[in-house]
């Protein structure tokens, strides 16, 4: 990933010598209207800019980008108008600004120097959207195409203002961390398997100053990680458990993060159909998000103690693979009857969550591409959050404010009985397919210690974009839910 270099400027947008100048437009009742921040550009433009844009067919709707020559009154070559959509409140929302900045940044590929006026609407959102939208993953392409925009100046009233500087830093670090998660997700499963994933995680973590511990298969056997070993048994590439730790200054609270790291999910002996199986390269998105968030926590030196416990396996069918009917003895001693080897995520997560709780955290946040049922329930863009009710609702609220939009889901008592096993303490799937996302949540809950506030973010849909790019979201790995977890950690640091 190469991120654009962002800098603050308080020079008037009309006087900036750049290749492209970005302005926001809003969808008004009678065509596009210029958003706040574009006043100097409009004054320097020779003509009625809103009207010219309307004539070119612009409406101001989200994801619309219109380029036109900037003319003689401005020092830019190209004007780029990006749609903020309809505004219902006072001003465009942070998410609208993020999205419009992202669409603009994608359209700036091939330019070397641009400037944006969207910082006037929401500086941090404009920075995040620009970095996120400029992302591209071209490592495996012989013909790489246009480079992402190299440098973007962000117009602000005072470039020396401390709040503006910290918004630039915070927004850039978030953008880079999301990019790091996307890179891991987009790396194909022949190159990213448990051992190589653990190596990359360790390298990212060490260079950010985190403590790192990696358990290999021998260490996992010795400690009795039956879930991770069971799922990992079918692959010639043995599993790993990566542990990362950040101890911030005046760390009042301890938070444990856990992320699902299935580097490829064939389903195992309960084999998945071939169609779209390739997308299971993204089944380590939870792990990628947790690792990337740890790097962010270290870079911004959050005043918290945060640990990450990340199980990494490849779920393959083979003569050594675990089978439907097997009973696994999990880390901590509970037994699980495996009725479907494709419900593997919950097995490796259960081991990791029991281990994470041994450090006696104040909160546990787990995230995974856990169920197809999540996508059925909420679609491709809305994550689900389950867990203890107060903390679940807090995570949902912060996720919505971050733009990732997680929605709270219940764990109804009556569903727990469906996981009763004839043979072991619990079965890994119920005997029917109803409420599959909630059943998975119930399974995880069995492995959460006592009163520990916990949240489970199922991002099966939102972690991976199989369709066209939109807003700041490229095709492939999205980096969801890095921003949610980062927002929750910042909130815990501030409010306990
Ligand atoms: N990794 C999948 C879930 C998934 C599906 C993620 C689609 C992203 C997109 C998970 O391991 C899985 O296979 N879940 C099964 C559970 C079932 C066997 C109870 C599912 O959802 O079908
Ligand atoms: Mn599976
Ligand atoms: Zn899976």
């Amino acid at each position: 990933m190469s991120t654009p270099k962002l800098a603050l400027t308080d020079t008037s947008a009309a006087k900036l010598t750049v290749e492209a100048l970005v302005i926001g437009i809003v969808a008004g009742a009678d065509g596009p209207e210029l958003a706040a921040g574009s006043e100097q550009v409009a004054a320097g433009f020779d003509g009625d800019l809103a009207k010219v844009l309307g004539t070119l067919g612009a409406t101001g709707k989200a994801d619309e980008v219109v380029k036109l020559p900037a003319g003689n009154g401005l020092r830019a070559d190209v004007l780029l108008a990006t749609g903020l959509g309809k505004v219902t409140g006072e001003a465009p929302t942070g998410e609208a600004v993020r999205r419009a900045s992202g669409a603009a940044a994608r359209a700036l590929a091939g330019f070397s120097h641009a400037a944006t006026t969207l910082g006037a609407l929401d500086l941090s959102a404009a920075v995040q959207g620009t970095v996120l939208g400029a992302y591209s993953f071209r490592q495996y392409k012989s013909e790489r195409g246009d480079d992402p925009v190299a440098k973007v100046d962000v117009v602000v009233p005072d470039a020396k203002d401390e709040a503006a500087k910290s918004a630039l830093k915070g927004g850039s670090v978030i953008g880079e961390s999301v990019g790091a998660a996307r890179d891991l997700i987009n790396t194909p499963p022949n190159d990213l398997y448990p051992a190589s994933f653990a190596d990359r995680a360790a390298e990212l973590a060490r260079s950010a100053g985190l403590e790192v511990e990696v358990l290999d298969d021998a260490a996992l056997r010795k400690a009795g990680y039956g879930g991770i070993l069971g799922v990992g048994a079918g692959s010639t590439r043995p599993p790993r458990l990566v542990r990362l730790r950040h101890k911030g200054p005046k760390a009042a609270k301890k938070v444990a993060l856990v992320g699902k790291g299935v580097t490829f999910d064939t389903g195992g002996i309960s084999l998945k159909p071939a169609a779209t199986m390739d997308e299971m390269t993204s089944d380590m998105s939870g792990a990628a998000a947790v690792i990337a968030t740890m790097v962010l926590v270290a870079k911004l030196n959050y005043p918290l103690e945060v640990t990450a416990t990340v199980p990494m396996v490849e779920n393959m069918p083979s003569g050594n693979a675990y089978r439907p009917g097997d009973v696994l003895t999990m880390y901590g001693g509970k037994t699980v009857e495996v009725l479907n080897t494709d419900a593997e995520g919950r097995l490796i997560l259960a081991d990791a969550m029991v281990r994470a709780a041994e450090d006696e955290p104040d909160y546990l946040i787990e995230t995974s591409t856990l169920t197809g049922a999540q996508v059925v329930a909420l679609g491709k863009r809305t994550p689900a959050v389950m867990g203890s009710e107060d903390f679940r609702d807090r995570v949902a609220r912060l996720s919505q404010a971050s733009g990732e939009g997680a929605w709270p889901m219940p764990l109804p008592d009556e569903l727990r009985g469906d996981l009763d096993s004839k043979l072991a303490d619990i079965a890994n799937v119920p005997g029917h397919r109803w409420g599959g996302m909630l059943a998975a949540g119930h399974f995880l809950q069995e492995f959460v210690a006592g009163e520990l506030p916990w949240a489970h973010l199922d991002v099966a849909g939102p972690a991976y974009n199989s369709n066209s790019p939109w807003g700041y979201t490229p095709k492939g790995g999205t980096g969801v839910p890095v921003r949610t977890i980062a927002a929750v950690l910042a909130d815990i640091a501030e409010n306990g």
Side-chain angles (χ1 to χ4, degrees), residues 410-430:
L411 295 175
D413 283 341
E414 75 275 12
L415 296 185
R416 168 60 187 85
D418 299 346
L419 291 171
D420 287 347
S421 161
K422 58 189 182 304
L423 202 56
D425 297 336
I426 189 170
N428 76 331
V429 292

Side-chain angles (χ1 to χ4, degrees), residues 218-289:
L220 291 169
R221 249 188 305 280
K222 207 165 154 210
Y225 284 93
I228 299 172
L229 290 164
V231 176
S235 175
T236 53
R237 294 154 157 175
R240 294 287 185 268
L241 181 68
V242 172
R243 301 251 311 152
L244 309 176
R245 183 163 168 273
H246 163 81
K247 186 141 170 41
K250 293 187 249 136
K253 294 282 177 191
K254 258 195 216 179
V255 186
L257 306 181
V258 172
K260 173 179 173 181
V262 175
T263 60
F264 193 72
D265 182 12
T266 64
I269 297 296
S270 313
L271 193 64
K272 285 184 183 295
T276 72
M277 194 201 276
D278 60 290
E279 293 191 1
M280 286 302 118
T281 179
S282 65
D283 210 19
M284 33 58 70
S285 296

Side-chain angles (χ1 to χ4, degrees), residues 117-199:
T117 61
L118 267 64
L121 298 164
D122 182 330
L123 179 56
S124 158
V127 170
Q128 274 186 31
T130 302
V131 177
L132 294 175
Y135 177 90
S136 77
F137 187 78
R138 300 171 301 160
Q139 213 179 303
Y140 291 83
K141 293 262 192 206
S142 310
E143 299 280 345
R144 293 208 165 180
D146 285 335
D147 284 330
V149 56
K151 188 169 187 295
V152 181
D153 295 336
V154 185
V155 181
V156 291
D158 177 4
K160 296 211 166 56
D161 179 56
E162 285 305 323
K165 283 192 207 164
S166 86
L168 178 73
K169 165 121 201 255
S172 307
V173 172
I174 293 253
E176 286 160 22
S177 301
V178 172
R182 289 175 178 174
D183 280 351
L184 290 168
I185 298 163
N186 290 334
T187 302
N190 54 330
D191 282 344
L192 193 102
Y193 46 89
S196 68
F197 190 13
D199 286 347

Side-chain angles (χ1 to χ4, degrees), residues 360-397:
E360 300 184 332
D362 298 296
Y363 299 96
L364 171 68
I365 306 170
E366 172 278 327
T367 185
S368 41
T369 46
L370 203 59
T371 64
Q374 185 278 323
V375 198
V376 175
L378 292 172
K380 285 283 293 170
R381 295 186 185 178
T382 303
V385 55
M386 288 147 271
S388 35
E389 289 183 10
D390 289 348
F391 190 53
R392 172 199 70 192
D393 290 346
R394 184 176 174 189
V395 171
R397 183 172 47 78

